[in-house]
Amino acid sequence: MFAYYFRLAWLSIRKTPVMSALMVLAIAVGVGVAMTTLTLQYMMSKNPLSDKNGVLYAVQLDAWGPDNPYSNTANQLPDLLTYQDATALLRSDIPVRQAAMHRFGGAVQVPNSDIPAYLADARVTGRDFFGLFKVPFLFGGPWSKDADTQPTFQVVLGKALNDRLFHGDNSVGRTMLMDGKPFTVVGVIDNWEMTPKVYDVSNGALNDVEEMYMPFGLHRTLKIDTWGNTNGWKHEDLNTYEGFLGSELAWLEFWVELPDAEAKARYEQFLTAYIAQQKAHGRFPSKRTPSFALSHPDEWMKINQVVSNDSRALSLLSLAFLLVCVINTVALLLAKFLRKAPEAGVRRALGASRGAIFAQHLIESGCIGLMGGVLGIGLTLLGLTSLDHLIPGQVDKVARMDWVMLLAAVGLAILASLLAGLYPAWRVGRTNPAYYLKTQ
């Protein structure tokens, strides 16, 4: 029976090509606009660390001032730690992995090479960073554990930078210069991308991962500052590098891996004791609660509003536009089905039930939605490509559809067309066969 109704629907669509094309176009435009914004929101909200969501935590401490809470996160806790807090937390042996980190960079080149110096983006962090975020290695591996606390001139390169400096060769053991200082390459990362960049959403959730990684123990030797955000709540005279490290300026992200609930509870007790100790020394002046937070990657993305309220509002507006398209399709379907009412009257006189007439016309609506969905996918891809050209470098990593969004586009189109067809199909199903038989 379904095949029979489907054939009738196809014949009906072919009989009225202009009106059918208008309905397909209306559904396609509505779906194209809606899916463009929904695809961006969906891709931005995907958690690339979902398989470690139960063990990975971002650490926040409320070292902010007493008067007003921190305002840039949803839980009103600073998203970055001070250097003195980060180095104190690194002394804990409760996490199986932990890393403090921040953005940095400098001019890199190979000694005695004709390759010009290149300004590379870097991340200063600990050895555990690579295990925390499942970073794959092409050659070598991370630096030694001692390099997290002792000045060790070692470096891990990203694949693209290794290709640029060493033509893709295994560069482990070779020397490169950064701002004139020699570093020994100990590892080369394979192709790796994280979108959104969960471990550092404060500096741009859609930014590329870094091109090279340097040990945390180099801070004092190289007087490393940060290329990322620096937040503070009071004025401090910072005339020396030690003054900067000992200040209340927050500029480091901090992540820990806690394997189970028992480890998490112990770490929470550790943080509570640490905050109490700091309060006794005159720090952490706020009396707000909670004074710290451990957030899974999913929670971390929400706290930092990776998908902003503006994006959600834009998605709602696009769905409202789709609703307008559906209403227009209702009018077109109603006009078309009522014009075919005599045919429905004859079918009713020959024994077809109202339900059969309703189902036949609803299937025709679904066929229009299917065609609209296929065309809508094309319009969505066109919309995403246009956005990528309008704001280059901002949405290129999320302006693409995966198979989930492809199916969602078709499903949304069919659902919209079925909703549009409900009333017209019901009206034509109420056809009185006697009236049309008298008029034949």
Side-chain angles (χ1 to χ4, degrees):
M1 189 60 72
F2 179 80
Y4 174 64
Y5 289 160
F6 183 81
R7 189 167 68 85
L8 289 179
W10 177 242
L11 291 173
S12 173
I13 290 171
R14 290 183 60 185
K15 275 185 183 178
T16 54
V18 175
M19 185 172 285
S20 298
L22 284 174
M23 289 185 285
V24 169
L25 188 60
I27 293 293
V29 170
V31 168
V33 171
M35 289 306 299
T36 298
T37 59
L38 291 175
T39 298
L40 289 177
Q41 184 171 328
Y42 166 77
M43 296 300 287
M44 289 176 68
S45 62
K46 284 182 72 173
N47 177 9
L49 296 168
S50 56
D51 58 331
K52 298 193 73 172
N53 207 52
V55 297
L56 210 55
Y57 299 89
V59 180
Q60 292 173 276
L61 300 178
D62 191 3
W64 208 245
D67 298 329
N68 298 301
Y70 187 73
S71 58
N72 293 337
T73 55
N75 63 0
Q76 298 188 321
L77 293 174
D79 52 346
L80 303 170
L81 302 190
T82 65
Y83 181 84
Q84 55 181 322
D85 290 330
T87 51
L89 297 192
L90 284 172
R91 298 188 191 105
S92 170
D93 60 357
I94 299 172
V96 294
R97 294 189 181 95
Q98 57 184 336
M101 64 192 82
H102 65 89
R103 280 189 68 200
F104 189 55
V108 298
Q109 62 184 135
V110 178
N112 305 317
S113 169
D114 56 358
I115 299 175
Y118 170 71
L119 191 63
D121 200 20
R123 178 150 295 265
V124 182
T125 184
R127 170 190 167 90
D128 285 352
F129 172 87
F130 305 100
L132 279 169
F133 302 108
K134 305 181 301 178
V135 182
F137 275 84
L138 182 62
F139 303 120
W143 48 76
S144 64
K145 191 67 178 174
D146 291 342
D148 288 347
T149 53
Q150 303 297 323
T152 308
F153 287 78
Q154 297 179 342
V155 67
V156 170
L157 303 182
K159 186 175 184 302
L161 186 57
N162 186 65
D163 291 345
R164 186 176 191 129
L165 298 180
F166 298 103
H167 308 290
D169 296 339
N170 183 354
S171 59
V172 173
R174 299 180 65 178
T175 300
M176 58 158 280
L177 303 176
M178 180 175 182
D179 292 338
K181 301 287 190 307
F183 283 78
T184 301
V185 179
V186 295
V188 177
I189 291 173
D190 205 348
N191 288 320
W192 179 62
E193 192 58 72
M194 179 182 286
T195 306
K197 198 165 76 173
V198 180
Y199 62 79
D200 185 12
V201 294
S202 64
N203 287 301
L206 301 183
N207 286 354
D208 293 330
V209 298
E210 291 72 20
E211 298 169 284
M212 56 183 288
Y213 300 83
M214 302 166 57
F216 199 76
L218 287 168
H219 275 103
R220 283 188 166 84
T221 301
L222 297 181
K223 291 183 169 52
I224 295 174
D225 56 9
T226 177
W227 282 20
N229 292 335
T230 302
N231 302 318
W233 58 274
K234 67 177 183 179
H235 174 75
E236 295 177 90
D237 291 323
L238 306 176
N239 301 317
T240 63
Y241 187 69
E242 285 300 322
F244 172 66
L245 295 184
S247 72
E248 294 296 335
L249 294 175
W251 49 285
L252 294 116
E253 298 90 12
F254 199 94
W255 286 83
V256 295
E257 183 172 336
L258 303 168
D260 50 39
E262 189 269 339
K264 185 186 177 190
R266 288 175 55 213
Y267 196 67
E268 288 173 339
Q269 292 173 2
F270 164 74
L271 292 178
T272 301
Y274 174 73
I275 291 171
Q277 179 194 56
Q278 294 303 304
K279 283 182 178 292
H281 287 84
R283 298 186 62 226
F284 288 70
S286 167
K287 295 181 180 178
R288 294 179 293 271
T289 55
S291 55
F292 69 86
L294 297 174
S295 304
H296 293 304
D298 271 347
E299 298 167 333
W300 188 241
M301 291 167 63
K302 291 174 183 173
I303 288 171
N304 286 277
Q305 300 180 357
V306 172
V307 179
S308 66
N309 291 332
D310 290 345
S311 297
R312 293 191 179 91
L314 193 60
S315 297
L316 291 176
L317 284 175
S318 68
L319 289 173
F321 179 76
L322 174 60
L323 180 61
V324 172
C325 293
V326 168
I327 292 172
N328 285 323
T329 306
V330 171
L332 291 170
L333 279 172
L334 189 61
K336 178 178 181 178
F337 288 173
L338 290 182
R339 197 167 66 179
K340 290 171 50 185
E343 296 177 24
V346 172
R347 286 201 61 213
R348 288 275 291 116
L350 294 175
S353 66
R354 287 179 174 174
I357 299 296
F358 177 81
Q360 173 199 334
H361 289 83
L362 204 58
I363 287 174
E364 183 173 341
S365 301
C367 291
I368 290 170
L370 180 62
M371 290 185 283
V374 173
L375 182 58
I377 289 174
L379 294 178
T380 303
L381 294 174
L382 180 63
L384 293 172
T385 303
S386 300
L387 283 175
D388 192 18
H389 282 84
L390 285 173
I391 41 178
Q394 300 295 313
V395 297
D396 55 320
K397 296 186 185 67
V398 293
R400 55 175 179 259
M401 299 182 78
D402 60 11
W403 64 270
V404 173
M405 297 312 290
L406 290 172
L407 292 177
V410 175
L412 182 63
I414 293 176
L415 177 63
S417 64
L418 290 177
L419 290 174
L422 280 176
Y423 178 67
W426 177 79
R427 278 288 305 273
V428 77
R430 303 283 298 175
T431 299
N432 184 352
Y435 173 79
Y436 289 104
L437 288 175
K438 288 177 184 176
T439 60
Q440 297 298 313

